[in-house]
């Protein structure tokens, strides 16, 4: 295998669909480039080579050969009791560091207007952020950690019901994430508001403390005071006191049950349980660090886009090195780069070889590349009347489907709607509070949607693969999370 992945080495029969993410070349360079950076992943995880990604628009593929080799090494690494402890500790430290670094870079950018100074700050930003994104390979730990959880549950369960309960305990996060704490604080705020107290200052404090949760892949804007007020208005009928009490009681019950279970099993398996729960926590927390850091850097990125006389949305179709080089030239975008940017808005393929760089195809080059790799044209059969997936939390409800593909779609979700999405993230919380049930294309039992569904006790079906393609906004659907099936009862066009 070559040291770095080359386009000519990517074979169509080796590519497999991985995930869908709405990120352009700018964010893909940072996240995909960090996720697949061989030297950084080897340094932080002791694994080589790193898994690689090939982005075709919003769809992300991975060469099976790289993914399998990485997975086998992870399975061996997690047998060491100290390994996961080290991963969690190092990721949390790196997360705090990237937030502090981007705060400092953003402050330094406030009084800077020259091309070269902004280029230097932007370069510092994307290099440090890409290095942090090596921790995104934690997502690839899900399969081996799920196997561990299943093996422990199978060994100690007397029947299928007990096996399911043990598995849920093992796959609960080891501690609350920042989005968990935000929900607690929001309910506390709602309780005070419902009691007639003046919460104006507390609303402002809440928006400043947690506003970054609305930012994902450099898209979205931090929650404002008005956003928090609208959220309060949207759930004003909720018994916040009771809901918070139930959340805290459930969290305490899970911790108590986990402690009892751990005390009843062998020492080696105690370590397995602890490590699975740590990885469940880290899957969400490592993304929260990046989202919070990204919210701080937005003013710098807006300033750079203005200086180059392009919109911020257009700039996200360039790579950070391309933007830095354009700043250094002090002439704005070249005609060639501007043409490339416009082509990429139509469609693109972005490859991350393993050295932190990006190779991008668009226009005619894109057509030539895809023609020999037809798997990149991800076609979905959309005439189905139902989809199926894995059960994250049982229950059966009916409601109106609302398809959420990115942050801008979240406001579509009203009370008692069915939230249908690719996957959920911390900034989905307000919409998840309003929704009656959740259905996702992606995710395993350790994913964010599954965890939140168990906390909110709402029916949830994950890993359907095609729900966002089959279901349409306005469809009346039944989410049968007792059997893992979503049925279209009445299509939107029939209403």
């Amino acid at each position: 295998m070559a040291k770095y992945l080359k386009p000519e080495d990517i074979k169509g029969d080796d590519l497999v669909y991985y995930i869908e993410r709405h990120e352009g070349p700018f964010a893909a360079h940072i996240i995909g480039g960090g996720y697949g950076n061989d030297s950084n992943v080897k340094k932080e995880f002791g694994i080589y080579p790193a898994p690689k990604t090939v982005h075709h628009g919003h769809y992300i593929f991975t060469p099976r050969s790289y993914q399998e080799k990485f997975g086998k090494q992870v399975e061996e690494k997690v047998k060491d009791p100290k390994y996961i402890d080290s991963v969690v500790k190092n990721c949390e430290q790196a997360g705090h560091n990237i937030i502090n670094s981007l705060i400092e870079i953003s402050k330094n950018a406030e009084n800077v207007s020259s091309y070269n100074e902004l280029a230097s700050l932007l370069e510092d930003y994307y290099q440090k952020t890409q290095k942090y994104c090596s921790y995104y390979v934690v997502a690839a730990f899900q399969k081996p950690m799920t196997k561990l959880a299943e093996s422990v549950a199978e060994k100690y369960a007397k029947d299928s019901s007990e096996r399911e309960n043990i598995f849920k305990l093992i796959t609960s996060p080891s501690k609350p994430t920042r989005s968990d704490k935000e929900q607690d604080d929001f309910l506390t705020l709602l309780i005070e508001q419902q009691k007639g107290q003046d919460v104006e200052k507390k609303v402002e404090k809440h928006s400043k403390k947690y506003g970054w949760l609305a930012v994902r892949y450099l898209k979205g804007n931090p929650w404002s005071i008005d956003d928090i007020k609208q959220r309060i208005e949207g759930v004003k009928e909720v018994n916040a006191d009771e809901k918070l009490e139930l959340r805290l009681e459930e969290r305490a019950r899970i911790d108590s049950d986990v402690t009892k279970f751990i005390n009843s099993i062998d020492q080696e398996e105690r370590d397995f349980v602890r490590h699975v729960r740590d990885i469940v926590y880290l899957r969400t927390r490592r993304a929260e660090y990046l989202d919070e850091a990204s919210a701080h850097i937005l003013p710098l990125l807006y300033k750079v886009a203005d200086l180059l006389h392009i919109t911020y949305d257009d700039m996200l179709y360039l790579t950070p090195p391309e933007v830095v080089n354009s700043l250094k030239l002090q002439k704005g975008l070249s005609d060639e780069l501007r043409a490339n940017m416009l082509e990429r808005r139509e469609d693109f393929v972005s490859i991350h070889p393993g050295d932190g760089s990006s190779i991008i195809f668009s226009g005619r080059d894109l057509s030539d590349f895809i023609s020999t790799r037809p798997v990149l044209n991800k076609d979905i059969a959309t005439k189905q009347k139902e989809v199926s997936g894995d059960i994250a939390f049982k229950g059966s409800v009916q409601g109106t489907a609302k398809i959420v593909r990115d942050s801008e779609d979240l406001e579509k979700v009203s009370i008692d709607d069915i939230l249908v999405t690719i996957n959920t993230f911390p900034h989905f919380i307000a919409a998840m509070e309003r929704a009656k049930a959740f259905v996702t294309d992606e995710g395993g039992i350790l994913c964010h949607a599954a965890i939140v569904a168990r906390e909110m006790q709402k029916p949830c079906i994950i890993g359907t693969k095609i729900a966002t393609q089959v279901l349409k906004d306005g469809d009346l659907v039944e989410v049968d999370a007792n059997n893992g099936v979503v049925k279209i009862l009445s299509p939107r066009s029939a209403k």
Side-chain angles (χ1 to χ4, degrees), residues 186-240:
F186 176 75
L187 286 171
T188 300
L189 185 64
L190 187 57
I191 290 168
E192 294 176 359
Q193 192 268 347
Q194 289 176 344
K195 290 180 177 178
Q197 297 179 22
D198 183 1
V199 295
E200 191 73 26
K201 290 184 178 179
K202 291 185 178 181
V203 166
E204 181 180 3
K205 182 179 179 181
H206 194 89
S207 68
K208 288 181 178 179
K209 185 176 181 179
Y210 295 113
W212 56 269
L213 279 165
V215 177
R216 185 78 175 177
Y217 305 129
L218 299 174
K219 294 182 178 181
N221 296 302
W223 286 329
S224 65
I225 293 174
D226 285 341
D227 290 330
I228 303 300
K229 288 180 177 179
Q230 288 176 14
R231 185 173 165 196
I232 290 174
E233 181 66 21
V235 293
K236 64 182 179 181
E237 302 301 325
V238 170
N239 187 330

Side-chain angles (χ1 to χ4, degrees), residues 137-169:
V137 300
V138 165
F141 282 45
Q142 174 169 299
K143 189 173 181 178
M145 301 311 282
T146 299
K147 283 184 179 179
L148 283 176
E150 289 172 342
S151 66
V152 173
E154 183 69 33
K155 179 177 179 179
Y156 290 96
K158 297 175 183 177
D159 52 43
S160 60
S161 177
E162 187 176 16
R163 182 169 61 247
E164 183 179 330
N165 289 333
I166 291 174
F167 185 78
K168 286 180 180 179
L169 285 178

Side-chain angles (χ1 to χ4, degrees), residues 29 35 40 58 63 84 91 123 143 154 166 171 181 194 225 314-315 317 337 345 376 379 438:
H29 180 92
Y35 175 91
N40 289 343
H58 299 318
I84 297 297
C91 182
E123 193 167 36
K143 189 173 181 178
E154 183 69 33
I166 291 174
T171 56
K181 293 176 181 178
Q194 289 176 344
I225 293 174
D314 279 343
M315 190 175 78
Y317 285 88
L337 188 56
R345 287 198 69 107
L376 291 172
D379 295 322
F438 320 136

Side-chain angles (χ1 to χ4, degrees), residues 8 27 134 176 224 245 261 284 305 376 378 384 414 424 449:
E8 58 266 29
S134 62
S224 65
E245 184 178 356
F261 177 69
T284 297
L376 291 172
K378 187 173 182 290
Q384 298 176 213
S414 301
T424 67

